Amino acid sequence: MSLRNGMWVCVLLLLQVAASAAAKVRHYKWEVEYMYASPDCIENVVMGINGQFPGPTIRAQVGDTVVVALTNKLSTEGVVIHWHGIRQKGTPWADGTASISQCAINPGETFNYSFQVDKAGTYFYHGHYGMQRSAGLYGSLIVELEDGKRERFHYDGEINLVLSDWWHQSSHHQELALSSKPFRWIGEPQSLLINGRGQFNCSMAGGMINSTLPKCRFRGNEQCAPQIQHVLPNKTYRLRIASSTALASLNLAIQNHKMVVVEADGNYVTPFTVEDIDIYSGESYSVLLTTDQDPSKNYWIAIGVRGRKPFTPQALTILNYHPTSASRLPSSPPPVSPLWNDYQRSQSFAQQLYALMGSPSPPATFHRRLVLLNTQNLINGFTKWAINNVSLTLPTTPYLGSIKYKLQNAFDTRSPPDNFPAEYDVMKPPANPTSVTGSGVYMFEMNQVVDVILQNANVLNASSSEIHPWHLHGHDFWVLGYGQGKFDPKRDEEKLNLKNPPMKNTAVIFPYGWTALRFVADNPGVWAFHCHIEPHLHMGMGVIFAEGVDQVGHIPPEAITCGLTGKMLVTTNTTVH
Amino acid sequence: MSLRNGMWVCVLLLLQVAASAAAKVRHYKWEVEYMYASPDCIENVVMGINGQFPGPTIRAQVGDTVVVALTNKLSTEGVVIHWHGIRQKGTPWADGTASISQCAINPGETFNYSFQVDKAGTYFYHGHYGMQRSAGLYGSLIVELEDGKRERFHYDGEINLVLSDWWHQSSHHQELALSSKPFRWIGEPQSLLINGRGQFNCSMAGGMINSTLPKCRFRGNEQCAPQIQHVLPNKTYRLRIASSTALASLNLAIQNHKMVVVEADGNYVTPFTVEDIDIYSGESYSVLLTTDQDPSKNYWIAIGVRGRKPFTPQALTILNYHPTSASRLPSSPPPVSPLWNDYQRSQSFAQQLYALMGSPSPPATFHRRLVLLNTQNLINGFTKWAINNVSLTLPTTPYLGSIKYKLQNAFDTRSPPDNFPAEYDVMKPPANPTSVTGSGVYMFEMNQVVDVILQNANVLNASSSEIHPWHLHGHDFWVLGYGQGKFDPKRDEEKLNLKNPPMKNTAVIFPYGWTALRFVADNPGVWAFHCHIEPHLHMGMGVIFAEGVDQVGHIPPEAITCGLTGKMLVTTNTTVH
């Protein structure tokens, strides 16, 4: 070996060492527990982590392994946490979905979530058992680029916002209401929250001036006072925004400032400038904000409800320009949210999203297409949501184990239908609102290219159709297009964007509309695909996808020691009797 | 064999056949679920069974096997049911105590409770996980004599009353309040309930006339209207009364009627006549009532609070004499409960209990004596109850499995102390209120005769000591005596009643007093012994007894597939990986 060659080997070795040194294992010890909090100035009980609400922020770098030792300190309830947007390649048991990827963690027990974060972006985490997300179990998960790698856009600082909605009724009572006959709707949220802070029904909350209401509390040490976002003039900030709402579709605007959208659901998009952004439950965005306004003032950042008739005041946070005092309130009222039912506007926002050049393109054709009709139904007098006439009821035994070990009777072995009857009129209430409950699975062959056409329809009441943001676990999908009415392959196929569609993990269907998605079933595991509105999922609005489960590695026994997999693991034991 | 002998054999065989035919297996299929109910005319959420609150009544006969297939239909919570007063001989895994005799039953799963009822009497059942009893999980369990056997007293009919107390705050919120720093006391119950019915704060509830309150609802179909107990004149009725209260000590009286006490906690007592009875949480009584009053009237049966300053109105039920209309209200107000703090009266009631002649006598001497000091303490700023300075925290792994399989690290292996320092002044607040939490076990040798002196003391605040009804699982004990101040063997030993002490499973300690119990550790298993006030148990007021666990038969794996026993059962499995 010449000296010169030897040096090259050396350099390569050093590079490898540097790379492996950079990828860290980040350990977290979390305890989930109920705690008192006043998210909207009204004292209530939230599900917190290590005494914090929202939970602690995770920050990691691409290639890192995140290890969360999650201890359940609740008294009688199980718990899991889903890492929303993380694909869990090779670790499908860490997806944190009760009944799907794992058994709920029992009180007193600790489960180790260990997974690699392989893509930079803005993510979040939340409970995925019953309606524990509504109870307050959520927080931020941010994946930065590796050391030395530069982002595709410049920014000087970050502001991190987790958006949510809040009810005064406990999530247990909400679950009961939604499962009752007759059905009791939980109503619109009492408050919206930004980083866990909002204000219930006060005067001067979002310009809703009403002198009979108590005054909003904008100063002082109240838990519910708007957070102050400190900025320097003439800099660029990256706002990371994730929506963990249970129900509300939101619009976010910053007084006097435009925003440049650069990332959606952990994927780069072609930058575009907007006055405000729509954000649906399950979505995340990064937007760039330039602090080019009068630095002697402060400015509202406001979120308001879209897509449902709003009965909830805006939530606020304050953009505080240095050296202006943080306690100085903005001089004019917060930006007014766009009309809740201006769906045209919502669609045009959604249609501005394109993948950044160089992003992966979708395969040109699909192997299998599911057309999933979203309907509201009645089953034995219970109000449910159904997909192709099947309302999802989760089994007791997590699918991941029961499919891998080919257990009998763990779930409905018949797959739900790939399509719905051609004569179904999506513009009218269901002619026959009866549907069935089921726990069947859509099974894909490994690396199949799957198209999903999400087809919206009229609900039980005439002249009404609702927004549903659908979230896919374990994958990103390409959003090929949106349309109105019933999807018609002959007419609509050619309009699909196969060139530069954005990749996302959550996409909305608009009232009476359809949304076309494509993804590659390349991640061995069992994955939920569901409406991210938590009450809707509770009412059955989801389906289960599975692929390559035979290729899934050794599932940690603690993930499946319940139900029939628990029995299986125990009865094969012969030494202790 | 002569004809005569042959006939005798025949008769004996027939008798055996008759006996075995008489002992039945009684199957129940129960589903535990939250439901809406208005126990005190205020709509709220209760934990019901098969859509009923209180749960269905179990009626069985001595020798029967009761099998309850209990399915957990809750969304995210585990559940267990304890069969209060049933000794579970040979079936310690069916005692229904989470963390002690079994793992909580997970949502969606079914656990089969199967146990023999071997002693006639008035019992009840209730949740024994977190504070699910407070949530409404309870009902009646009645064991009758075998066919053809006659009771030791005559009666013509039965009236069955389950007593409870009710808070408007959910049991989850109560748990959080009690576990918080600073401590938040849950306060007195909003209502008392008889068979699940009471009335919140209304006028003419127990003579508490207050014109600003809404009128009580005594008629109509309200869920909360007092139950009507239909009786015929000049008959004798057996009132079976069980108290499942979370907190309240009660006094029950029947207008114009005396009662003859004949049974306490499933054991016969020497009959004695009273105007009213005291009944503490965890106790049950049978009293005989003779309908010898004016049959043209109806009469109140009333319960009121004793032992704590009452802020809760009485609960009522109506004794309706045939042929008087059931809707006719009694002509005078309900009986007034005795003064809450007339402890002299309470003690004299307790001291009237003697075993019926022919009942088993206690062994003359004991092998081991525990003197258990009951104190209120502060641990790191948390308010707790402690026994000999140890506040009970239940482990994640049920003791029954971890002791049987000799697992390491499942609980504190050091036993808690048998006594407390001689200098402790029970009349004053603890000089040093610090104590420790622990999960240690008092281990007894099989058939040891154990004495327990329950020693009450002053709480954290000066000049205050509270009533605690202590309940023992798996055994009855003899109540040898009560006394005031600190138990002094030299002085008090000779006053103990070893001749005809009543057998019970629950006995009270009076403020600043002591209570002496004796039992034989003859039931292989692990058994809770604790204050039956649910908030007090939640705050650590209990101890764990164990005996003969090596003699316990095959524990059904589903009872212990959690925690370390779950791990053990799974890791000894080698076939599935």
Side-chain angles (χ1 to χ4, degrees):
Chain A
M1 193 193 286
S2 72
L3 182 63
R4 188 166 170 162
N5 277 352
M7 272 187 66
W8 268 114
V9 168
C10 242
V11 168
L12 282 171
L13 277 172
L14 281 169
L15 281 173
Q16 277 185 344
V17 169
S20 64
K24 296 190 187 73
V25 180
R26 295 179 190 264
H27 287 276
Y28 298 85
K29 277 187 86 164
W30 283 4
E31 296 186 342
V32 175
E33 204 166 0
Y34 283 113
M35 55 185 269
Y36 289 108
S38 304
D40 61 353
C41 305
I42 308 289
E43 192 186 65
N44 210 321
V45 173
V46 301
M47 201 173 268
I49 296 173
N50 293 354
Q52 295 176 48
F53 164 75
T57 294
I58 291 180
R59 263 187 194 269
Q61 285 176 299
V62 170
D64 288 353
T65 299
V66 172
V67 180
V68 180
L70 188 75
T71 300
N72 180 352
K73 301 287 273 185
L74 304 170
S75 166
T76 54
E77 271 178 88
V79 77
V80 295
I81 288 185
H82 167 58
W83 317 94
H84 186 110
I86 307 300
R87 288 169 298 179
Q88 302 291 354
K89 297 235 168 182
T91 53
W93 48 78
D95 194 42
T97 44
S99 286
I100 302 169
S101 63
Q102 70 169 115
C103 306
I105 307 161
N106 285 326
E109 308 223 35
T110 300
F111 184 84
N112 290 299
Y113 287 100
S114 178
F115 52 88
Q116 208 182 32
V117 291
D118 60 355
K119 191 158 59 76
T122 304
Y123 305 101
F124 65 114
Y125 62 82
H126 58 80
H128 214 296
Y129 190 34
M131 285 175 55
Q132 292 182 342
R133 177 155 56 92
S134 291
L137 188 56
Y138 44 79
S140 199
L141 197 174
I142 289 168
V143 182
E144 296 173 339
L145 288 174
E146 300 93 320
D147 283 339
K149 281 212 181 175
R150 286 181 59 181
E151 270 294 5
R152 295 163 201 213
F153 37 84
H154 165 80
Y155 57 99
D156 305 296
E158 265 189 46
I159 293 173
N160 186 24
L161 306 180
V162 174
L163 315 181
S164 57
D165 44 9
W166 182 246
W167 280 256
H168 292 166
Q169 190 182 38
S170 77
S171 63
H172 298 108
H173 285 201
Q174 291 180 47
E175 288 175 1
L176 176 62
L178 297 167
S179 310
S180 285
K181 183 165 85 174
F183 178 65
R184 302 191 187 189
W185 175 236
I186 58 168
E188 298 303 310
Q190 271 69 59
S191 303
L192 301 179
L193 308 179
I194 301 180
N195 290 347
R197 289 152 175 255
Q199 305 230 358
F200 176 60
N201 213 21
C202 58
S203 76
M204 222 324 266
M208 294 170 81
I209 313 290
N210 183 337
S211 59
T212 66
L213 295 175
K215 271 208 170 168
C216 299
R217 306 191 210 169
F218 289 135
R219 303 170 205 223
N221 301 321
E222 285 101 348
Q223 269 180 25
C224 54
Q227 263 194 348
I228 308 295
Q229 314 296 342
H230 304 282
V231 291
L232 299 172
N234 298 310
K235 298 283 180 189
T236 299
Y237 290 87
R238 178 180 190 168
L239 259 76
R240 295 180 180 271
I241 309 163
S243 175
S244 182
T245 57
L247 174 65
S249 302
L250 299 173
N251 183 275
L252 179 142
I254 310 170
Q255 205 165 38
N256 287 29
H257 293 74
K258 287 195 192 323
M259 296 176 273
V260 180
V261 181
V262 291
E263 180 217 340
D265 295 2
N267 295 290
Y268 296 110
V269 297
T270 306
F272 63 103
T273 303
V274 289
E275 299 275 341
D276 56 81
I277 67 162
D278 285 336
I279 178 163
Y280 301 93
S281 178
E283 289 190 323
S284 61
Y285 284 100
S286 283
V287 300
L288 301 180
L289 157 76
T290 303
T291 49
D292 54 7
Q293 294 299 303
D294 179 355
S296 71
K297 290 184 179 172
N298 293 327
Y299 301 89
W300 294 117
I301 303 177
I303 55 170
V305 172
R306 300 217 65 203
R308 303 178 66 92
K309 198 170 178 184
F311 290 97
T312 315
Q314 289 180 303
L316 303 168
T317 181
I318 292 172
L319 196 65
N320 166 232
Y321 270 67
H322 183 81
T324 302
S325 161
S327 66
R328 181 167 174 186
L329 289 185
S331 51
S332 52
V336 175
S337 301
L339 269 185
W340 69 273
N341 54 358
D342 184 353
Y343 294 115
Q344 204 78 47
R345 198 176 189 287
S346 309
Q347 286 164 47
S348 82
F349 175 79
Q351 283 164 353
Q352 287 181 71
L353 286 181
Y354 295 102
L356 187 64
M357 214 191 308
S359 302
S361 295
T365 55
F366 60 87
H367 299 117
R368 182 169 170 192
R369 174 174 279 171
L370 307 179
V371 190
L372 302 181
L373 176 68
N374 289 234
T375 53
Q376 202 179 31
N377 296 75
L378 282 174
I379 303 183
N380 304 323
F382 293 93
T383 302
K384 298 281 182 189
W385 292 95
I387 307 307
N388 289 355
N389 221 36
V390 181
S391 182
L392 180 65
T393 50
L394 291 172
T396 301
T397 309
Y399 289 105
L400 186 62
S402 57
I403 296 178
K404 168 148 181 173
Y405 295 114
K406 299 182 175 55
L407 299 189
Q408 303 292 310
N409 307 317
F411 59 91
D412 298 341
T413 45
R414 246 183 79 181
S415 283
D418 279 18
N419 211 324
F420 60 93
E423 67 274 15
Y424 192 93
D425 187 347
V426 302
M427 304 306 289
K428 291 197 181 137
N432 170 12
T434 309
S435 74
V436 296
T437 58
S439 58
V441 176
Y442 291 98
M443 303 273 191
F444 302 126
E445 286 168 38
M446 261 310 273
N447 298 314
Q448 248 188 342
V449 176
V450 179
D451 267 21
V452 176
I453 311 295
L454 286 165
Q455 177 64 60
N456 212 338
N458 199 100
V459 299
L460 286 169
N461 293 325
S463 305
S464 179
S465 180
E466 300 185 4
I467 277 183
H468 304 286
W470 277 77
H471 170 62
L472 178 58
H473 291 233
H475 313 74
D476 287 332
F477 47 66
W478 290 273
V479 185
L480 305 185
Y482 302 88
Q484 278 298 294
K486 199 192 278 190
F487 179 78
D488 176 354
K490 281 182 217 136
R491 183 191 61 200
D492 298 319
E493 193 85 48
E494 60 183 24
K495 294 184 216 154
L496 300 181
N497 175 12
L498 297 178
K499 212 185 98 205
N500 59 353
M503 292 201 90
K504 296 189 88 244
N505 60 55
T506 304
V508 77
I509 40 173
F510 292 104
Y512 299 109
W514 55 261
T515 299
L517 314 174
R518 181 167 294 178
F519 71 96
V520 183
D522 59 359
N523 192 4
V526 185
W527 310 105
F529 178 48
H530 61 92
C531 177
H532 207 260
I533 292 177
E534 197 164 47
H536 288 185
L537 174 58
H538 188 74
M539 293 161 72
M541 199 168 205
V543 294
I544 303 295
F545 290 169
E547 70 234 24
V549 179
D550 52 332
Q551 301 175 29
V552 167
H554 176 63
I555 304 171
E558 55 272 30
I560 53 170
T561 306
C562 67
L564 296 176
T565 39
K567 277 205 172 61
M568 172 199 77
L569 292 170
V570 167
T571 52
T572 49
N573 149 35
T574 52
T575 57
V576 180
H577 273 289
Chain B
M1 192 192 286
S2 70
L3 184 62
R4 189 165 164 162
N5 279 353
M7 272 186 67
W8 269 115
V9 168
C10 242
V11 168
L12 283 172
L13 277 173
L14 282 169
L15 281 173
Q16 277 183 344
V17 168
S20 64
K24 293 190 188 72
V25 179
R26 295 180 190 264
H27 287 277
Y28 297 85
K29 277 186 85 163
W30 283 4
E31 297 186 342
V32 174
E33 204 167 359
Y34 282 113
M35 55 185 268
Y36 289 109
S38 303
D40 61 352
C41 303
I42 309 289
E43 192 187 65
N44 210 322
V45 173
V46 300
M47 201 173 267
I49 297 173
N50 294 353
Q52 294 176 48
F53 164 75
T57 294
I58 291 179
R59 263 186 194 270
Q61 285 176 299
V62 170
D64 288 353
T65 299
V66 172
V67 180
V68 180
L70 188 74
T71 300
N72 179 352
K73 301 286 273 185
L74 304 169
S75 167
T76 55
E77 270 178 88
V79 77
V80 294
I81 289 185
H82 168 58
W83 316 95
H84 187 109
I86 307 299
R87 288 169 298 179
Q88 302 291 355
K89 297 235 168 181
T91 54
W93 49 78
D95 194 41
T97 45
S99 287
I100 303 169
S101 63
Q102 70 169 114
C103 306
I105 307 161
N106 285 326
E109 308 225 34
T110 300
F111 184 83
N112 289 299
Y113 288 100
S114 179
F115 53 88
Q116 209 182 31
V117 290
D118 60 355
K119 190 157 59 76
T122 303
Y123 306 101
F124 66 114
Y125 61 83
H126 60 78
H128 214 296
Y129 189 35
M131 286 176 54
Q132 293 182 342
R133 177 155 56 92
S134 290
L137 188 56
Y138 44 78
S140 199
L141 196 173
I142 290 168
V143 181
E144 296 172 340
L145 288 174
E146 301 92 320
D147 284 339
K149 281 212 181 173
R150 286 180 59 181
E151 271 294 7
R152 295 162 200 215
F153 37 85
H154 165 80
Y155 57 99
D156 304 296
E158 265 189 45
I159 293 173
N160 187 24
L161 306 181
V162 174
L163 315 182
S164 56
D165 44 10
W166 181 245
W167 280 255
H168 291 167
Q169 191 182 37
S170 78
S171 63
H172 298 108
H173 285 201
Q174 290 181 48
E175 288 176 1
L176 176 61
L178 297 168
S179 309
S180 286
K181 181 164 86 174
F183 178 65
R184 302 192 187 189
W185 176 237
I186 58 168
E188 300 301 310
Q190 271 69 58
S191 302
L192 301 179
L193 309 179
I194 301 179
N195 290 346
R197 290 152 175 254
Q199 306 229 358
F200 175 60
N201 214 19
C202 59
S203 75
M204 222 325 266
M208 295 171 80
I209 312 289
N210 182 336
S211 59
T212 66
L213 295 175
K215 270 207 170 170
C216 298
R217 305 191 209 169
F218 289 135
R219 303 170 205 222
N221 301 321
E222 284 102 346
Q223 268 180 27
C224 54
Q227 264 194 346
I228 308 296
Q229 314 297 342
H230 304 282
V231 291
L232 299 172
N234 298 311
K235 299 282 180 189
T236 299
Y237 290 87
R238 178 180 190 167
L239 258 75
R240 295 181 180 270
I241 308 163
S243 175
S244 182
T245 57
L247 174 65
S249 303
L250 300 173
N251 183 275
L252 180 143
I254 309 170
Q255 204 166 39
N256 288 31
H257 293 75
K258 289 195 190 324
M259 296 175 275
V260 180
V261 181
V262 292
E263 180 217 339
D265 294 2
N267 293 290
Y268 296 110
V269 297
T270 306
F272 63 103
T273 302
V274 288
E275 299 275 342
D276 56 81
I277 67 162
D278 285 337
I279 178 163
Y280 300 94
S281 178
E283 288 190 324
S284 61
Y285 285 100
S286 283
V287 300
L288 301 180
L289 156 76
T290 302
T291 48
D292 54 7
Q293 294 300 301
D294 179 356
S296 71
K297 291 184 178 171
N298 293 326
Y299 302 88
W300 295 115
I301 303 178
I303 56 171
V305 172
R306 300 216 66 201
R308 302 180 66 93
K309 197 168 179 187
F311 291 95
T312 314
Q314 289 180 304
L316 303 168
T317 181
I318 292 171
L319 196 65
N320 166 231
Y321 270 66
H322 183 80
T324 302
S325 161
S327 66
R328 182 167 173 185
L329 290 184
S331 51
S332 53
V336 175
S337 301
L339 269 184
W340 69 273
N341 55 358
D342 184 352
Y343 294 114
Q344 204 77 48
R345 198 177 190 286
S346 309
Q347 286 164 47
S348 82
F349 175 79
Q351 283 164 352
Q352 287 180 71
L353 285 182
Y354 295 103
L356 187 64
M357 213 192 308
S359 302
S361 296
T365 55
F366 60 87
H367 299 117
R368 181 169 170 192
R369 173 175 279 171
L370 308 180
V371 189
L372 302 181
L373 176 68
N374 289 233
T375 54
Q376 201 179 31
N377 295 75
L378 281 174
I379 304 183
N380 304 323
F382 293 94
T383 302
K384 298 281 182 188
W385 292 95
I387 306 308
N388 289 355
N389 220 35
V390 180
S391 182
L392 180 65
T393 51
L394 291 172
T396 302
T397 309
Y399 290 104
L400 186 62
S402 57
I403 296 178
K404 170 148 179 171
Y405 295 114
K406 300 181 175 55
L407 298 189
Q408 303 291 309
N409 307 318
F411 59 91
D412 299 341
T413 45
R414 246 183 81 181
S415 284
D418 279 18
N419 212 322
F420 61 93
E423 67 274 15
Y424 191 93
D425 187 346
V426 301
M427 303 308 288
K428 292 197 180 137
N432 171 11
T434 310
S435 73
V436 296
T437 57
S439 58
V441 176
Y442 291 98
M443 304 272 192
F444 303 125
E445 285 167 40
M446 262 308 274
N447 298 314
Q448 248 189 340
V449 177
V450 179
D451 267 21
V452 177
I453 311 295
L454 287 164
Q455 177 65 59
N456 212 338
N458 199 100
V459 298
L460 286 169
N461 294 324
S463 305
S464 179
S465 180
E466 300 186 4
I467 278 184
H468 304 287
W470 277 75
H471 170 62
L472 177 57
H473 291 233
H475 313 73
D476 287 332
F477 47 66
W478 290 274
V479 185
L480 304 185
Y482 302 88
Q484 278 299 295
K486 199 191 279 192
F487 179 78
D488 176 355
K490 282 184 216 135
R491 182 192 60 202
D492 298 320
E493 192 86 51
E494 61 183 24
K495 294 185 216 153
L496 300 181
N497 175 10
L498 297 178
K499 212 184 98 205
N500 59 353
M503 291 201 90
K504 297 190 86 247
N505 59 55
T506 304
V508 78
I509 41 173
F510 293 104
Y512 299 109
W514 55 261
T515 300
L517 314 174
R518 180 166 294 178
F519 71 96
V520 183
D522 58 359
N523 192 4
V526 185
W527 309 106
F529 178 48
H530 62 92
C531 175
H532 207 260
I533 292 177
E534 197 164 46
H536 289 185
L537 174 58
H538 187 75
M539 294 162 70
M541 200 168 205
V543 294
I544 304 295
F545 289 169
E547 72 233 25
V549 178
D550 53 332
Q551 300 175 29
V552 167
H554 176 63
I555 304 172
E558 56 270 31
I560 53 170
T561 306
C562 68
L564 297 175
T565 38
K567 277 207 172 60
M568 172 198 78
L569 291 171
V570 167
T571 53
T572 49
N573 150 34
T574 52
T575 57
V576 180
H577 272 289

